[in-house]
Amino acid sequence: MEWIDEGIVLGVKRHGETSIILELMTRAHGRHLGLVRGGSGPRLRGILQPGNTVRATWRARLDEHLGLYLVEAANLRAAGFLDKAHALHGVTHLAALCRLLAEREPHTAIYDALQAILDRLEDLQAVAPMIARFELDFLAELGFGLDLAACAATGATDELVFVSPRSGRAVSRAAGEPYRDKLMRLPVFLRQAGAPPSPEDLADAFVLTGFFLDRHAFAPRGVSLPEARAHFVSVLARAAQPRQAH
């Protein structure tokens, strides 16, 4: 068995003295693991950093085997993350999300979105709304997509500003106002791709997606939301605060 694919490094695990088990999010073969001989050595260490994209050749005698990876660099963007806390937290969180996907099942849309995010990850303001939308799309990929097309109470498609935490459906301003304390805010940019988010919109978006990720993806597995996600949101909140005059 052999295939060649593009893959994003999610993480590595030492295996023996010099080898590693490499975890990739590949475009055509999904989340896929393989052994890299000599992967802990200096030649490959810089290539196999989370967030980098590699060209990978996977070989195994049988399809169900772990198999061997041969890798070469395609985009070594991870070096730019080292001095940016939000980028390090972001790539760790994105990898944790991808690990919720079953192994060897293609998720091309998720792969393409992940590549786009990683290409902008050094820019906090640009990438924050992309990650919030990614989380929303990721929920749909898992089968738990929110229904934001029309009001759950009236069917209206205008002024959808709330989400019901019970049903995951949008609620219009008119229908939801009497119950606003029990509803979650729906930022416009999550429904309209071109809408620029305010800091408050971003905070509301991560509250919304975090609630449903916890309910549908993490809590059923007996684990909490990744700490890296909380750290990313914290860095984003601090960046939105006005600087104090000295």
Side-chain angles (χ1 to χ4, degrees), residues 2-9 22 24-26 29 32 36 48 53-59 68-74 111:
E2 177 176 324
W3 50 253
I4 299 174
D5 200 358
E6 188 180 76
I8 298 166
V9 177
L22 172 64
L24 295 178
M25 185 67 192
T26 66
H29 299 85
H32 205 291
V36 180
L48 302 180
T53 298
V54 299
R55 179 177 170 83
T57 301
W58 180 83
R59 294 175 182 148
L68 297 175
Y69 269 138
L70 297 176
V71 297
E72 57 185 71
Y111 178 85

Side-chain angles (χ1 to χ4, degrees), residues 54-55 69 102 121 126 144 151 170 172 192 199 217:
V54 299
R55 179 177 170 83
Y69 269 138
L121 191 55
F144 302 107
C151 176
S172 69
Q192 300 176 12

Side-chain angles (χ1 to χ4, degrees), residues 7 23 49 87 92 105 120 179:
E23 183 180 28
Q49 293 298 311
T92 301
E105 288 186 2
R120 300 294 302 277
Y179 313 100

Side-chain angles (χ1 to χ4, degrees), residues 26-234:
T26 66
R27 194 171 199 285
H29 299 85
R31 186 171 66 87
H32 205 291
L33 280 69
L35 183 73
V36 180
R37 293 198 174 105
S40 62
R43 187 180 70 84
L44 290 175
R45 192 178 302 128
I47 295 174
L48 302 180
Q49 293 298 311
N52 281 343
T53 298
V54 299
R55 179 177 170 83
T57 301
W58 180 83
R59 294 175 182 148
R61 190 169 64 84
L62 296 176
D63 185 60
E64 60 266 25
H65 288 177
L66 174 65
L68 297 175
Y69 269 138
L70 297 176
V71 297
E72 57 185 71
N75 187 335
L76 302 185
R77 59 171 76 84
F81 302 161
L82 297 178
D83 62 345
K84 297 176 177 65
H86 77 271
L88 294 173
H89 297 317
V91 74
T92 301
H93 167 49
L94 293 167
L97 285 179
C98 289
R99 291 190 183 100
L100 299 175
L101 300 171
E103 288 187 48
R104 306 189 180 193
E105 288 186 2
H107 293 273
T108 305
I110 290 295
Y111 178 85
D112 290 342
L114 190 59
Q115 282 278 37
I117 289 171
L118 291 170
D119 284 341
R120 300 294 302 277
L121 191 55
E122 291 187 53
D123 185 342
L124 175 59
Q125 298 307 318
V127 82
M130 295 173 73
I131 291 179
R133 291 194 199 97
F134 181 85
E135 292 185 340
L136 197 65
D137 293 339
F138 194 86
L139 281 162
E141 195 80 5
L142 293 178
F144 302 107
L146 306 188
D147 183 354
L148 307 179
C151 176
T154 66
T157 57
D158 296 328
E159 289 277 275
L160 301 177
V161 299
F162 301 112
V163 174
S164 166
R166 180 177 298 179
S167 67
R169 298 183 63 189
V171 180
S172 69
R173 188 185 305 277
E177 192 62 36
Y179 313 100
R180 62 180 301 132
D181 292 342
K182 297 180 180 180
L183 300 174
M184 309 183 80
R185 282 200 61 220
L186 172 58
V188 173
F189 82 94
L190 287 183
R191 296 188 64 247
Q192 300 176 12
S198 68
E200 292 77 15
D201 290 335
L202 288 170
D204 289 335
F206 282 109
V207 169
L208 177 67
T209 55
F211 176 84
F212 288 102
L213 280 171
D214 183 53
R215 172 189 283 180
H216 295 303
F218 289 95
R221 293 169 169 81
V223 294
S224 302
L225 285 168
E227 288 187 10
R229 183 185 190 274
H231 293 321
F232 177 87
V233 173
S234 178

